[in-house]
Amino acid sequence: MASLLSPFFSHSFLLPSHPRSLPLLPAPKFTILRRKTHGRLLISNVAAPDLSSAMEANKAPAQESQRPVYPFAAIVGQDEMKLCLLLNVIDPKIGGVMIMGDRGTGKSTTVRSLVDLLPEIRVVVGDPFNSDPDDPESMSMEVRERLLRSEQLPVSFTKITMVDLPLGATEDRVCGTIDIEKALTEGVKAFEPGLLAKANRGILYVDEVNLLDDHLVDVLLDSAASGWNTVEREGISISHPARFILIGSGNPEEGELRPQLLDRFGMHAQVGTVRDAELRVKIVEERSRFDKDSKGFRESYKAEQEKLQLQISSARSNLGSVQIDHDLRVKISKVCAELNVDGLRGDIVTNRAAKALAALKGRDKVTAEDIATVIPNCLRHRLRKDPLESIDSGLLVVEKFYEVFS
């Protein structure tokens, strides 16, 4: 066996000299490594990787990323989209945001620019699910068992992760897979985590979500709603926490999501093409500066980025102390009832978003202005009854708000 594998692990294989052979290299390398390590690295309900390597990975600076990220503070306009994203970072329980708009309006750029602003969280070292050492609901089964045995859990700080879901991903890659051979031969549940496991306590971004297969979208939204992902195969069942901020973007011209799927997104942001000539010129100039010298461009916005980071961190810390009067809660529910919004998700999300906005502004009490700012984004996509109708622009929600709150 060693003689068969040795050519693939030679120096010439890892560092090919002929550029034309590059596209053919990843497939055999991936397959051989999977077969070689399949029985050693996959352990019952996911074993913890080497602690030292995990600690080193956490210490790796974000600046070393090969793909420089456009600064969030440099995004021109699109205030509605940026506000929805910030509110979801402050309170992940809002339920994510669906961003719909014209092509080339910076939807993907804005979402990915959140990476630099994401705060740090406490995680159990070596756990592939980013388990929270202080919250049993966010722990994997293995961490819970270790806690019940009174083991000391090693803890470290790591930044909230953002996971991109490509359109061509398979259901096994998203949910994770179970090694049936290992389960039958060794009696061990060998689970290989998927993207949902990696996105736990982080952000899962789906670009062009309206082009994903319906069954895959159902899996994502069900996991986002329940907070757990369960993999069932051949009589074997494995569950793990999957609490993430679901962010989707798409172009309405390419197709809409079903109303019941739209309802699973906490907020909805509409993005339009900038019409002001001066703003368009500014956007083009800023993008040209970034493409010419991304490091220098990011450095010029470093102070603004750090200020925004502190603002988000402070808002997350003070969110629990923000209060909303009972009278305002009643009026929010009255708006939802008179707009014939199905279910109570609209009420819950509006209350959470208003609190997050108050915390972002540094206040401990919600005002009517806070509600007026967020309620169109929380209810707009819940009014549609006919799949052939376009999503309401929010004017109907605003009119009903002022009618009730006056």
Side-chain angles (χ1 to χ4, degrees), residues 278-294:
E278 292 293 334
L279 282 180
R280 293 171 75 104
V281 170
K282 183 178 180 180
I283 294 172
V284 173
E285 290 177 346
E286 293 286 86
R287 184 68 207 190
S288 299
R289 285 179 53 206
F290 176 76
D291 292 338
K292 185 177 181 180
D293 181 14
S294 59

Side-chain angles (χ1 to χ4, degrees), residues 84-117:
C84 290
L85 292 172
L86 290 178
L87 295 183
N88 273 273
V89 173
I90 293 171
D91 186 1
K93 292 184 179 180
I94 288 176
V97 56
M98 179 65 189
I99 304 170
M100 297 294 282
D102 304 330
R103 61 179 66 88
T105 50
K107 299 186 295 294
S108 301
T109 301
T110 305
V111 173
R112 293 190 173 98
S113 67
L114 274 178
V115 171
D116 292 335
L117 302 180

Side-chain angles (χ1 to χ4, degrees), residues 41 43 46-51 125-128 142 146:
L41 296 184
I43 305 178
V46 186
D50 182 66
L51 299 185
V125 176
D127 183 73
E142 183 187 359
R146 293 168 60 188

